[in-house]
Amino acid sequence: MPRLLPHRDDLLIAAAGLTGGLALYALGLASRPVAAGLPQRLALLSLAVMAGAELLRRRKPLAGLAVGVPALTLDLCSGNLVTTTVMFTDLVYAAVLYGPPAAYRLLPRACEVLSVAGTLLFVAIVRKPEAVLLGLALAVVTIAPAWTGVGVRRHRDAAEAARLAAERTVLLAEMDRRQAVGAERARMARELHDLVAGHLSAIAIHSTAALSINEERASREALGVIRENSVQGLAEMRRLIGLLRRAGDADEPAPTPTLDGLDALLDQARTTAHGSGLSFALHDGRGPRTLPAPVELAAYRVVQESLTNAAKHAAPGAVTVELTCDDRALTVRVTSPLGDGDRSPRAPGSHAGLIGMRERVALLGGEFAAGPEGGQWHVRAVLPVDEEGK
């Protein structure tokens, strides 16, 4: 909303100029008229008009300058008061500083042209060397405040540009921080799911078996599996929490699982799916090549999540894990018997496993697919291992 009242500084400038002019007039310190020789009391009218124009210096600087020009002309023709001239120079300065860009560009040049033309006119009319002094006075009244306004405006615009650049930098930094926080939260969610989901699924499956089978030996075996998975799950949770608390400690790198631990992972899956009719087999065709750590971690997590899903949903049969590797990519395939849609899963799921696997593979620029085919549930992940895929 536009400002209706004059700025406080404008009020002070107008009041000071009006008071100073009245004091000079009362003391008889007005100069003699430059031309026309109008009654000296008209200088008071010029003073009042110029003080009123000062009230517009910030809100409407060009209008204030337009009012000031005839007021200064009347002042020069009726007995000049110094305060009137000083207030006019302030109007020129304000028009350049607060005016539109066109005034900032054109007004200093217009003042230069006016000063030159005025000097030539004074010389032509007066025909005395003193006329040059009038031209110099005109230049001091117009050119000097105009170029002063140009300098101040340039510094002000530069400061504003620096402020806007700093705000953009802060905004970009905040956006980067939020993206980093979001990415870290997603990574932590994937790690937490991968660490705990398998153990909780085993606990859910064997607790269901213990409740449904009224045999002491089977119940004790189920409780043993439940206890083992509970202890392992708690240990991995403590390890993850410890790593989060020591996030700034670079001397103790976080241990990450590798594909050499797939045999232990399948043994754990056999224990989890004991009594469900599932068998597990590993066909490792990686060869002697050393794979990047992120690729091994992603492949390990894909196999881990696929085995957990098979233990919860697959029909009795063989679950096969196959690894193949060439010069460009490591391919992970996990197949399991497709379960009957009418049969409820052995343990409830969060439906986050496939999302987590897809995200892990996408972060490495790989390809991921999962779905039924030929009576089997297939999970396939292709992870780039060449320099271009990293």
Side-chain angles (χ1 to χ4, degrees), residues 130-143:
E130 291 82 357
V132 178
L133 297 177
L134 296 176
L136 292 176
L138 183 60
V140 171
V141 171
T142 56
I143 297 177

Side-chain angles (χ1 to χ4, degrees), residues 134-212:
L134 296 176
L136 292 176
L138 183 60
V140 171
V141 171
T142 56
I143 297 177
W147 280 106
T148 302
V150 168
V152 174
R153 182 159 180 164
R154 284 176 178 171
H155 285 292
R156 186 194 67 181
D157 293 346
E160 180 67 14
R163 184 186 65 83
L164 293 176
E167 290 181 354
R168 285 196 297 268
T169 302
V170 171
L171 180 60
L172 291 175
E174 177 64 17
M175 293 175 62
D176 290 341
R177 186 192 68 82
R178 291 185 179 181
Q179 290 178 356
V181 170
E184 183 63 15
R185 291 178 63 181
R187 187 190 68 82
M188 291 171 58
R190 287 194 299 269
E191 289 296 325
L192 185 61
H193 178 273
D194 292 340
L195 287 175
V196 179
H199 296 299
L200 293 182
S201 297
I203 291 172
I205 293 172
H206 286 275
S207 61
T208 301
L211 292 172
S212 60

Side-chain angles (χ1 to χ4, degrees), residues 21-233:
L22 291 175
L24 292 176
Y25 186 84
L27 295 173
L29 297 178
S31 304
R32 63 184 180 87
V34 175
L38 296 177
Q40 196 174 32
R41 61 180 178 273
L42 292 180
L44 294 177
L45 175 62
S46 174
L47 176 67
V49 173
M50 194 69 75
E54 286 281 26
L55 300 178
L56 303 175
R57 65 187 298 275
R58 199 179 301 260
R59 290 185 299 148
K60 296 184 178 181
L62 294 184
L65 181 61
V67 173
V69 170
L72 179 65
T73 303
L74 178 62
D75 177 75
L76 294 175
C77 295
S78 60
N80 176 249
L81 292 172
V82 176
T83 53
T84 303
T85 304
V86 171
M87 284 192 288
F88 179 79
T89 62
D90 180 67
L91 291 177
V92 177
Y93 167 80
V96 176
L97 180 60
Y98 301 115
Y104 164 72
R105 293 191 301 268
L106 300 178
L107 194 57
R109 277 74 180 179
C111 291
E112 293 171 352
V113 173
L114 178 63
S115 297
V116 173
T119 302
L120 296 177
L121 180 63
F122 291 149
V123 171
I125 294 176
V126 179
R127 297 183 181 277
K128 292 182 180 180
E130 291 82 357
V132 178
L133 297 177
L134 296 176
L136 292 176
L138 183 60
V140 171
V141 171
T142 56
I143 297 177
W147 280 106
T148 302
V150 168
V152 174
R153 182 159 180 164
R154 284 176 178 171
H155 285 292
R156 186 194 67 181
D157 293 346
E160 180 67 14
R163 184 186 65 83
L164 293 176
E167 290 181 354
R168 285 196 297 268
T169 302
V170 171
L171 180 60
L172 291 175
E174 177 64 17
M175 293 175 62
D176 290 341
R177 186 192 68 82
R178 291 185 179 181
Q179 290 178 356
V181 170
E184 183 63 15
R185 291 178 63 181
R187 187 190 68 82
M188 291 171 58
R190 287 194 299 269
E191 289 296 325
L192 185 61
H193 178 273
D194 292 340
L195 287 175
V196 179
H199 296 299
L200 293 182
S201 297
I203 291 172
I205 293 172
H206 286 275
S207 61
T208 301
L211 292 172
S212 60
I213 300 176
N214 191 19
E215 295 182 7
E216 182 179 354
R217 181 178 178 181
S219 297
R220 290 182 63 84
E221 290 179 356
L223 290 175
V225 174
I226 291 173
R227 182 184 183 281
E228 179 182 355
N229 280 274
S230 300
V231 171
Q232 292 179 359

